[in-house]
Amino acid sequence: MTSVVFMGTPSFAVPILKGLVEQDYDVLYAVTQPDRPVGRKHELKKTPVKQIAEEFDIPVLAPAKLSGSEEMATIIDANPDLIITAAYGQFLPTKLLNAVNIAAINVHGSLLPKYRGGAPVQYAIMNGDEQTGITIMYMVKKMDAGDILAQEAIDIENNDDTASMFDKLSLVGRDLLLETLPKVISGEIKPIPQVEDEVVFSPNIKPEEEELDFSQPAFLVDAKIRALRPNPGAYTDINGKRVKIWQSAVEEQVTELAPGTVVSKSKHELLIAAGDGTVLSLLVVQPAGKPKQKITDYLNGAGQALQEGQKVIN
């Protein structure tokens, strides 16, 4: 059996780990991020990878910092044939990459060299891309810069958000990895170097980047809402009060009103002007300190003061 140390953290990585087990790879360890406190009670929650690893009785390592840790020494001592990572969340030191008998491989959620970095799915949606995909690649010290072993593209639908795309990509990643590994192990695969001139980066989303810009066309405002769903969520200020926008829809109508102006308001509908004369319908919102609510409920409460023709978003 080919021995593997698997490294991953979120639900995206779970089908990939399960696929390795079901295809009889010898998974020596599952390496993941430490348990994190969640909720008001700050209860420790296991990562999705840790949960599934325990179901399969795979030993779990969870160093807060991998480099120089006892856990890294344990991995090196295990002398694995393969290290496979899928959204692990930490850089792998060169010493660890060199400790494998065959290869260190990453399952990355984009069509490299486009969207190197920690938020490739979010950027693909946010930029209005029609497709994204999975890249199976060799790992090197430079972030997401290794030679490409295999790629597969999938469409981004108009209603896709980051959660739905991760669900789709995790299955594509599982199947593509399992198809690619035998060729890597046998040495018959021909890696393809990435074209550096085509590199696009997708760094982690910063808090200040969560704000919506209604001077952009409605389809890009909607895309950003979907890209930041289910977390951290996109927001805007309506009449000076912060509101997260969780769901929206691009309208076919056009307007001459300035971006951020109320185009139409009824009991069940709130249409806001966006850039280039486009219009966005707000469907699910969350005023600060309140739960998520359908636009009807918002208009019955905090939204009562909004008037057609009023510029409510700067």
Side-chain angles (χ1 to χ4, degrees):
M1 294 176 68
T2 303
S3 62
V4 174
V5 169
F6 181 80
M7 309 179 75
T9 297
S11 55
F12 167 77
V14 168
I16 299 167
L17 175 55
K18 289 178 67 175
L20 290 168
V21 174
E22 291 165 357
Q23 290 296 310
D24 293 328
Y25 286 90
D26 181 17
V27 182
L28 304 176
Y29 294 101
V31 188
T32 189
Q33 297 284 61
D35 298 349
R36 302 293 188 194
V38 296
R40 293 182 179 179
K41 296 182 180 180
H42 298 285
E43 295 177 347
L44 289 178
K45 184 177 181 180
K46 300 175 183 178
T47 69
V49 162
K50 183 174 181 177
Q51 293 176 43
I52 197 67
E54 290 180 345
E55 288 183 23
F56 285 115
D57 294 322
I58 299 169
V60 175
L61 303 176
K65 182 181 179 182
L66 180 62
S67 181
S69 66
E70 293 181 7
E71 290 87 350
M72 189 175 100
T74 298
I75 297 168
I76 293 171
D77 290 343
N79 193 32
D81 295 319
L82 298 166
I83 289 177
I84 297 174
T85 66
Y88 169 52
Q90 294 191 43
F91 283 107
L92 272 60
T94 302
K95 184 178 180 180
L96 184 57
L97 297 177
N98 293 337
V100 295
N101 294 318
I102 299 174
I105 293 171
N106 182 38
V107 183
H108 184 76
S110 81
L111 299 173
L112 291 171
K114 194 173 186 179
Y115 300 136
R116 292 181 183 176
V121 176
Q122 291 89 333
Y123 275 85
I125 298 172
M126 191 160 45
N127 290 339
D129 292 1
E130 294 182 356
Q131 285 190 324
T132 185
I134 287 289
T135 300
I136 310 296
M137 54 179 283
Y138 282 139
M139 296 190 72
V140 294
K141 187 175 182 180
K142 189 176 179 181
M143 183 178 62
D144 299 328
D147 291 351
I148 295 169
L149 302 171
Q151 286 187 320
E152 184 170 337
I154 62 170
D155 292 339
I156 301 174
E157 306 293 341
N158 289 336
N159 60 346
D160 273 321
D161 60 14
T162 292
S164 66
M165 287 310 303
F166 267 127
D167 288 344
K168 296 177 185 180
L169 288 168
S170 66
L171 300 180
V172 174
R174 174 197 65 192
D175 294 345
L176 189 60
L177 176 69
L178 295 175
E179 177 186 318
T180 304
L181 282 180
K183 302 173 189 176
V184 173
I185 294 166
S186 68
E188 64 183 275
I189 202 162
K190 294 183 179 179
I192 300 173
Q194 295 187 42
V195 180
E196 289 295 323
D197 289 346
E198 297 177 2
V199 170
V200 177
F201 289 101
S202 60
N204 291 331
I205 306 293
K206 297 177 182 177
E208 59 267 25
E209 295 171 326
E210 297 165 15
E211 184 173 7
L212 296 169
D213 179 4
F214 275 79
S215 69
Q216 291 188 314
F219 83 95
L220 285 179
V221 180
D222 176 70
K224 188 167 189 176
I225 291 166
R226 291 183 287 111
L228 300 185
R229 190 174 72 219
N231 57 71
Y235 73 87
T236 190
D237 288 343
I238 299 180
N239 275 349
K241 295 183 179 180
R242 181 148 306 181
V243 179
K244 283 197 171 186
I245 313 297
W246 289 107
Q247 187 176 347
S248 60
V250 179
E251 296 292 309
E252 292 185 0
Q253 72 185 83
V254 296
T255 182
E256 295 182 357
L257 294 172
T261 302
V262 177
V263 175
S264 176
K265 176 191 172 185
S266 67
K267 289 183 178 181
H268 308 292
E269 184 179 69
L270 180 62
L271 305 186
I272 303 292
D276 295 342
T278 58
V279 177
L280 190 73
S281 176
L282 306 188
L283 300 177
V284 178
V285 302
Q286 184 179 16
K290 302 287 186 179
K292 295 178 184 178
Q293 51 192 236
K294 293 182 178 180
I295 198 64
T296 301
D297 298 323
Y298 174 73
L299 292 171
N300 284 332
Q304 287 187 43
L306 305 183
Q307 301 294 326
E308 291 184 2
Q310 178 187 11
K311 185 173 174 61
V312 297
I313 299 171
N314 293 323

